[in-house]
Amino acid sequence: MRSFAFPLIGLLAVALLSACDGEPEQVAAPKHQELTREATGYYCSMIVVDHIGPKAQIFLKGAEEPLWFSSVRDGIAFTLLPDEPKTITAFYVNDMGRASWETPEPDTWIPADGAHFVIGSDRRGGMGAEEAVPFGELEAAKTFIAKHGGKVVSLSEVPSDYILSAEAEEPHHTMGEGAEAEETSHDHGD
């Protein structure tokens, strides 16, 4: 019995020491949530579903509900601003290869760190500024670029000045704006 106890104590000691070795605690990423009318934008305090274009949601460690963003640009800005919490456990964006520009559909959320972002296109996000348009598939991003311009980058390659600049233009169209809104209502990101 004594020979069995020694290896067990040794394993326990190794487990305790490895828990204290300074490695950050791994937190399981929460699953994305679907957007409802109750979701308000973190920065704008407006109802998120009332805005066109892709949206973002970010979960912080210990929080059950995400922070909502009316545009992907605002979500990326949150990750770049030094005064915002850095305890992000998940960051999701709409896959605009599967979602319409007018009202991104449910179940089109993808992790931001695996998305292909189109920057510099002629499409504006929900708040009227240039958008970082996310796609789950590179081919969908290339199809979008053929119609709207821009270039593909990963999340880590999105220039901070593209996101944090004060530039904001009037949106090309907003919900309910007649023929132009009707023309794009079935426009899946392109």
Side-chain angles (χ1 to χ4, degrees), residues 35-48:
L35 195 54
T36 67
R37 287 213 52 86
E38 287 73 40
T40 57
Y42 179 75
Y43 291 122
C44 66
S45 297
M46 299 169 79
I47 298 172
V48 175

Side-chain angles (χ1 to χ4, degrees), residues 148-173:
H148 298 285
K151 69 177 185 174
V152 177
V153 297
S154 68
L155 180 61
S156 64
E157 296 170 328
V158 176
S160 60
D161 60 341
Y162 181 81
I163 298 299
L164 300 175
S165 74
E167 177 276 329
E169 296 179 14
E170 288 299 312
H172 286 243
H173 62 293

Side-chain angles (χ1 to χ4, degrees), residues 97 116-118 133-135 137-146 149 152:
H116 305 278
F117 292 89
V118 175
V133 184
F135 292 89
E137 301 294 328
L138 182 57
E139 286 307 311
K142 289 179 179 179
T143 299
F144 178 86
I145 288 170
V152 177

Side-chain angles (χ1 to χ4, degrees), residues 7-97:
L8 186 60
I9 291 171
L11 287 174
L12 182 59
V14 169
L16 288 173
L17 286 174
S18 66
C20 299
D21 70 357
E23 291 293 317
E25 180 184 339
Q26 294 295 327
V27 177
K31 184 175 173 13
H32 68 268
Q33 291 190 11
E34 294 302 340
L35 195 54
T36 67
R37 287 213 52 86
E38 287 73 40
T40 57
Y42 179 75
Y43 291 122
C44 66
S45 297
M46 299 169 79
I47 298 172
V48 175
V49 296
D50 287 348
H51 294 83
I52 61 170
K55 318 288 187 268
Q57 57 180 290
I58 292 178
F59 286 86
L60 299 178
K61 183 178 178 181
E64 292 182 22
E65 297 295 319
L67 303 175
W68 291 101
F69 298 90
S70 299
S71 68
V72 171
R73 179 188 176 114
D74 286 353
I76 296 173
F78 180 89
T79 70
L80 298 174
L81 293 170
D83 292 341
E84 298 295 2
K86 300 304 175 208
T87 57
I88 297 170
T89 59
F91 179 8
Y92 296 104
V93 293
N94 291 117
D95 176 357
M96 296 310 288

